[in-house]
Amino acid sequence: MKKHLFSLYLIFICQVVYGQTDTSFFFTRVKQDSSKLKLNMDAVYNRPFLQMGKLPVSLGGYLEANSSYFSTDGVSDGLSFQLPRLTMFMSASIRQRIKFMTEIEFEEGGREINIEFAALDLEFNPLFNLRGGVIMNPIGSFNQNHDGPKWEFVSRPVSSTTIIPSTWSNVGFGVFGKYSRKNWVWAYEAYLSNGFDDNIINNNQNRTWFPASKANGDRFEESFNGVPLKTIKMALKHRKIAEIGISWMGGVYNKFKDDGIILDKKRHLNFIALDINSTILKDTYLNGEWVWAYVDVPDTYIQQFGNRQQGGFLDIVQPIKKGKMLGWSESVLNIALRLEYADYNVGNFQELGLRIADHMYALVPAISFRPSAQTVIRANYRYERHTDLLRNPASQTAGFQFGFSTYF
């Protein structure tokens, strides 16, 4: 089945690529309204789309490909090449104020096919709209604004993929809206969806590991315990200053009852995230996110399963040259730096009082070249330092990454 789906999408891609050779014949590029204040919550629709004739359906997508060479404590597996994801978008205006959008992702060269977003929007008022289907839970900023061509770095932020298990999407319903006045815009989102399961503490990582729930494909069919996961986010943006978002996601992750029989108490998990982005000085772009995670781990589990995690990242991107380069009239050359941190077990050992040290740091200087805003060619040097639970000497990983990502 996956092979057939993949073949259909390859045919589709060929049509799109052919269309791009003469967009006036088959496809036209959908013009984006740049006058509106866009937030991270708008990222799902804030993408380049192609439209064929007057059909009410728009198409798009992006591709990421890269190569990497890493060594850990002097040991390397050599050079490797990856195709981490090929993503397809399709949106349709069914009627006025009724929209549908879907995002289907092929990961790891096609070994995984995921529906990351497939939702129907009913617009009643700018302040009140309904959304239902497969939604991206609005926790932090990266989970919703994760498209590869938007980032100067090959790897996704560690805290956004191993604490917040981006891309984290689920079946659910909710409301969203925004209010804008002059240079200000305020927006909110609130959803109920299926949630996590007990794989977050029953996994082969031997630690509390939220991404383990992503392997449960049944979450798109039914809730693991019948208690909805709740996600709420608010964001405030000033056109000339910054966008700040605060979000919370919480629910019950264990099966506490089965066929009317009480098995356990309800065990909760909660995420709180802050995100900010701003442009300061001479077009210096700052983008960061921090998340705290809390989970009720049973007392029968040993202390290597943490009940608190935290982490975040800060990206600093500085354009150093804009204009015509190598024949592209609107190209940009950037230098960038990412600082990362993730702590998977915040706290101290109960017996000794010493700090538990299951954490990592990363430093990623980068250079990127954008021949257009939709395409990025990037080179990264990545240095990571991992410390284990018992504070043994940290393992050190360093290496180079080179790749590109582009919308089509």
Side-chain angles (χ1 to χ4, degrees):
M1 183 64 182
K2 289 184 177 180
K3 290 183 177 178
H4 292 306
L5 284 173
F6 191 63
S7 299
L8 287 173
Y9 273 103
L10 284 179
I11 293 171
F12 167 77
I13 291 166
C14 292
Q15 291 176 332
V16 171
V17 171
Y18 177 70
Q20 285 183 308
T21 62
D22 184 358
T23 56
S24 64
F25 187 69
F26 280 121
F27 294 94
T28 55
R29 182 69 67 184
V30 178
K31 293 183 178 179
Q32 294 182 313
D33 187 351
S34 58
S35 63
K36 294 183 178 179
L37 279 174
K38 300 288 179 58
L39 302 168
N40 283 311
M41 65 176 285
D42 300 311
V44 67
Y45 282 103
N46 187 22
R47 291 159 159 164
F49 283 96
L50 294 164
Q51 189 169 25
M52 187 169 67
K54 295 184 179 180
L55 288 176
V57 178
S58 299
L59 306 170
Y62 70 88
L63 171 71
E64 287 187 78
N66 56 66
S67 61
S68 62
Y69 180 89
F70 280 103
S71 70
T72 299
D73 297 333
V75 179
S76 174
D77 291 329
L79 183 66
S80 61
F81 300 87
Q82 301 92 29
L83 185 71
R85 57 190 58 87
L86 166 64
T87 300
M88 311 295 299
F89 316 134
M90 182 172 64
S91 71
S93 295
I94 299 171
R95 294 200 63 177
Q96 189 176 13
R97 296 183 291 115
I98 302 177
K99 296 190 298 185
F100 174 79
M101 166 84 185
T102 186
E103 175 180 342
I104 299 176
E105 189 163 278
F106 300 84
E107 294 183 333
E108 307 300 335
R111 285 188 299 178
E112 295 184 20
I113 301 175
N114 300 310
I115 299 175
E116 300 216 322
F117 186 84
L120 179 70
D121 287 1
L122 300 175
E123 300 174 357
F124 295 98
N125 182 282
L127 267 174
F128 183 77
N129 307 281
L130 300 180
R131 174 172 291 167
V134 178
I135 61 165
M136 289 178 195
N137 299 70
I139 181 69
S141 61
F142 183 85
N143 197 51
Q144 291 181 299
N145 194 13
H146 58 261
D147 290 359
K150 294 183 177 180
W151 300 81
E152 316 306 312
F153 303 91
V154 172
S155 297
R156 291 180 165 187
V158 171
S159 60
S160 301
T161 54
T162 60
I163 300 178
I164 297 173
S166 298
T167 305
W168 176 251
S169 56
N170 231 319
V171 182
F173 297 87
V175 296
F176 66 96
K178 66 169 62 173
Y179 173 77
S180 61
R181 185 177 178 83
K182 295 184 179 178
N183 287 325
W184 290 93
V185 59
W186 171 83
Y188 75 94
E189 292 179 272
Y191 300 105
L192 298 176
S193 67
N194 290 339
F196 291 80
D197 60 30
D198 57 9
N199 282 328
I200 65 173
I201 54 172
N202 295 323
N203 55 68
N204 57 14
Q205 296 286 327
N206 293 319
R207 57 154 68 129
T208 302
W209 191 248
F210 296 106
S213 275
K214 293 178 67 176
N216 179 14
D218 290 342
R219 73 179 193 275
F220 294 104
E221 298 289 336
E222 61 178 353
S223 171
F224 183 67
N225 51 32
V227 180
L229 181 73
K230 298 170 277 292
T231 314
I232 300 173
K233 180 171 185 178
M234 287 195 295
L236 181 67
K237 181 174 184 176
H238 186 279
R239 185 188 299 273
K240 298 179 180 178
I241 302 177
E243 175 186 348
I244 299 175
I246 181 170
S247 48
W248 166 76
M249 181 167 70
V252 174
Y253 72 90
N254 66 323
K255 189 178 282 295
F256 56 92
K257 184 169 65 175
D258 192 17
D259 292 334
I261 300 173
I262 302 298
L263 305 175
D264 192 4
K265 69 174 187 178
K266 293 180 180 178
R267 298 192 179 277
H268 293 81
L269 56 76
N270 291 280
F271 297 83
I272 300 172
L274 287 174
D275 60 83
I276 183 169
N277 65 79
S278 179
T279 301
I280 62 173
L281 302 176
K282 293 185 177 180
D283 296 332
T284 305
Y285 178 65
L286 305 177
N287 188 23
E289 176 182 293
W290 193 270
V291 59
W292 297 266
Y294 305 87
V295 56
D296 181 6
V297 177
D299 294 336
T300 52
Y301 278 65
I302 59 177
Q303 294 174 61
Q304 72 185 65
F305 290 85
N307 54 19
R308 285 187 293 160
Q309 297 185 354
Q310 65 178 355
F313 69 92
L314 174 65
D315 289 357
I316 306 168
V317 181
Q318 177 63 59
I320 56 175
K321 187 175 182 181
K322 293 182 177 180
K324 189 172 183 179
M325 284 182 278
L326 302 175
W328 287 286
S329 59
E330 298 180 350
S331 54
V332 181
L333 182 65
N334 296 307
I335 55 173
L337 177 66
R338 169 174 288 171
L339 308 171
E340 294 193 76
Y341 175 70
D343 188 340
Y344 301 107
N345 198 336
V346 179
N348 300 326
F349 287 107
Q350 296 173 4
E351 296 81 3
L352 303 175
L354 298 176
R355 185 189 172 196
I356 301 172
D358 187 7
H359 58 233
M360 65 81 66
Y361 302 86
L363 183 70
V364 191
I367 185 167
S368 66
F369 175 66
R370 291 183 176 272
S372 76
Q374 298 175 9
T375 302
V376 58
I377 302 167
R378 51 204 178 190
N380 298 173
Y381 172 77
R382 185 177 183 86
Y383 173 75
E384 298 178 0
R385 186 178 176 90
H386 293 253
T387 304
D388 68 10
L389 195 74
L390 301 175
R391 306 184 72 86
N392 289 310
S395 66
Q396 301 182 65
T397 299
F400 295 92
Q401 296 171 293
F402 178 80
F404 71 88
S405 185
T406 184
Y407 286 110
F408 50 79

